[in-house]
């Protein structure tokens, strides 16, 4: 091993060890700093607790046009279903039956009179 090779090898080894030592020392100090900060905050909170944070304000999210249209459609559909559910179907059936019988009587009243007249003329 020559002079130059030995010198460069020694410098490389020394700087590598120095870099790794400084890196380890820096990382240890950063970790210790974080631990001390955490402990300090913990002790301060024990002695003088921070004021409670206010409740978050309710946020209203505006829906788009499509969502508004869906909501209106659903509200109208619910209203129609409720009205159908509240119908008294027996009463409605009697009303429809009376209407049909009135129409039936009117339609065939004239034909019965015509049959009676025809039978009376004969």
């Amino acid at each position: 091993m020559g002079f130059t090779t030995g010198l460069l090898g020694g410098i490389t080894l020394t700087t590598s060890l120095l870099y790794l030592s400084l890196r380890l020392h820096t990382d240890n100090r950063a970790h210790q700093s974080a631990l001390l900060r955490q402990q300090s905050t913990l002790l301060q909170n024990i002695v003088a607790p921070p004021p409670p944070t206010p409740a978050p304000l309710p946020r209203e999210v505006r829906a788009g046009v499509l969502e508004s249209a869906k909501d209106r459609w659903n509200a109208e559909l619910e209203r129609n279903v409720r009205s159908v559910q509240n119908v008294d179907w027996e009463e409605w059936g009697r009303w429809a039956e009376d209407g049909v019988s009135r129409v039936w009587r009117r339609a065939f009243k004239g034909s019965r009179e015509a049959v009676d007249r025809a039978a009376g003329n004969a």
Side-chain angles (χ1 to χ4, degrees), residues 95-111:
W95 175 80
E97 187 178 316
D98 291 343
V100 169
S101 67
R102 267 187 267 121
V103 169
W104 188 269
R105 272 186 260 129
R106 273 192 219 144
F108 293 106
K109 181 180 178 185
S111 63

Side-chain angles (χ1 to χ4, degrees), residues 30-115:
H31 183 68
Q32 286 176 350
S33 173
L35 288 175
L36 286 173
R37 217 176 290 117
Q38 182 183 15
Q39 290 172 359
S40 172
T41 304
L42 188 74
L43 290 174
Q44 284 177 357
N45 288 342
I46 289 173
V47 172
T53 57
L57 297 175
R59 220 173 47 148
E60 183 176 323
V61 178
R62 302 210 61 163
V65 174
L66 186 61
E67 288 298 319
S68 298
K70 285 181 186 178
D71 290 340
R72 275 188 265 144
W73 170 263
N74 287 339
E76 184 176 346
L77 192 61
E78 286 176 7
R79 189 172 49 252
N80 291 340
V81 166
R82 281 195 191 100
S83 68
V84 168
Q85 287 175 342
N86 292 332
V87 168
D88 182 12
W89 290 106
E90 292 177 9
E91 177 66 30
W92 191 88
R94 284 190 290 268
W95 175 80
E97 187 178 316
D98 291 343
V100 169
S101 67
R102 267 187 267 121
V103 169
W104 188 269
R105 272 186 260 129
R106 273 192 219 144
F108 293 106
K109 181 180 178 185
S111 63
R112 182 174 289 173
E113 291 173 354
V115 169

